[in-house]
Amino acid sequence: MDRAIVLGPVELRSPLIGASGTVGSGVDFVAVADPGRYGALVAKSVAPDAWRGNRPPRLAPAGLGMLNAIGIQNPGIEQWAAEVGPRLNGVGVPVWGSAVGYTPEDFARVAKGLEDAGVQAVEINLSCPNLDGHGLIALDPAASARVVEAVRRSVSLPVAAKLSPNASDIVAVARSVREAGADWVVLTNTVLGAAIDIETRRPRLSTVTGGYSGPPVKPIALWCVMEVAAALPGFPIVGCGGVTKGADVVEFLLAGASAVAVGTAHFAEPRVAGRIDRELARWCRKHGVARVFDLVGGVAKR
């Protein structure tokens, strides 16, 4: 089976991508999992300066999924580049950086720092739902476009925009970032959620609300992929949300994604990509699919 895929200007050896926030910086993740199973790893988001993140509790189980309100704790781009940059070439798979900030200038500064550090693409995190006191940029098409434009001017690398399933019109946001220069979109990030400890009657997260992820969000992410793929044909998509098995990858590819990010599943099964890859290969053999990329957008009409 030929696993190679094309994602805009990028060619990858596998459709599987390690989602930001679940594979560390990428360089440390390879100590526990085979990087050869992935087309790329996306490092945890980095800000212009060090962020302490939210106070605990920052994680909580919620049914079949999980809630997180980490608050993107990170050391800032200068320290990240100094510590991680020299090790990127030893990963054995492309490492993409993830930029976060409060203003377009913030994002542009981080993106440039990531490029200088040696990442091979920049993912713009427009959609983290647990930054206290700051709204989601990805809910606003115009604001999202301004960030993408600033990043596009600051780097020569491929640029992706990670969007939010909480947007009232995901197609409008995707269209705005495409016109602003994004090479592809990541659909999607976590869904806003909350949980309460009924014994203490207190919210399970210090921030009350956080990002909900895991298998239950897959239908939401899949719907976003199908909407954008139908409205913006030819615009590359990375599907992300609730992927735990090979069949999930097939489903996202048929919906119109060119690649599929694995996220929360890493916390329960760090080597999950190996199993997913084997399941994907078995499905393709059973159904006579020689090239994974031939599945993209293959959903039948009703």
Side-chain angles (χ1 to χ4, degrees), residues 179-261:
E179 293 174 352
D183 292 297
W184 66 84
V185 285
V186 181
L187 303 175
T188 57
N189 208 325
T190 54
V191 179
L192 284 170
I196 297 171
D197 183 332
I198 61 173
E199 299 303 323
T200 65
R201 303 190 181 189
R202 298 176 63 130
R204 290 189 179 273
L205 297 175
S206 66
T207 54
V208 182
T209 61
Y212 187 54
S213 64
V217 309
K218 192 188 80 173
I220 300 170
L222 197 69
W223 171 77
C224 291
V225 170
M226 295 179 75
E227 287 287 293
V228 172
L232 304 174
F235 189 32
I237 297 169
V238 173
C240 181
V243 176
T244 62
K245 54 187 183 293
D248 296 331
V249 176
V250 174
E251 203 169 355
F252 270 107
L253 294 172
L254 291 174
S258 296
V260 181

Side-chain angles (χ1 to χ4, degrees), residues 107-133:
F107 283 92
R109 175 185 161 194
V110 174
K112 179 59 177 170
L114 289 168
E115 180 177 44
D116 292 344
V119 303
Q120 297 188 32
V122 174
E123 183 177 280
I124 308 171
N125 185 357
L126 300 173
S127 51
C128 182
N130 54 51
L131 297 181
D132 189 31

Side-chain angles (χ1 to χ4, degrees), residues 104-183:
E105 294 74 23
D106 284 347
F107 283 92
R109 175 185 161 194
V110 174
K112 179 59 177 170
L114 289 168
E115 180 177 44
D116 292 344
V119 303
Q120 297 188 32
V122 174
E123 183 177 280
I124 308 171
N125 185 357
L126 300 173
S127 51
C128 182
N130 54 51
L131 297 181
D132 189 31
H134 298 271
L136 268 67
I137 296 173
L139 302 186
D140 184 334
S144 297
R146 287 193 292 271
V147 172
V148 173
E149 287 169 352
V151 171
R152 181 74 281 167
R153 288 193 300 267
S154 70
V155 300
S156 59
L157 296 173
V159 170
K162 191 168 188 176
L163 305 187
S164 171
N166 300 295
S168 61
D169 188 344
I170 192 74
V171 171
V173 183
R175 181 179 289 110
S176 73
V177 298
R178 181 188 65 171
E179 293 174 352
D183 292 297

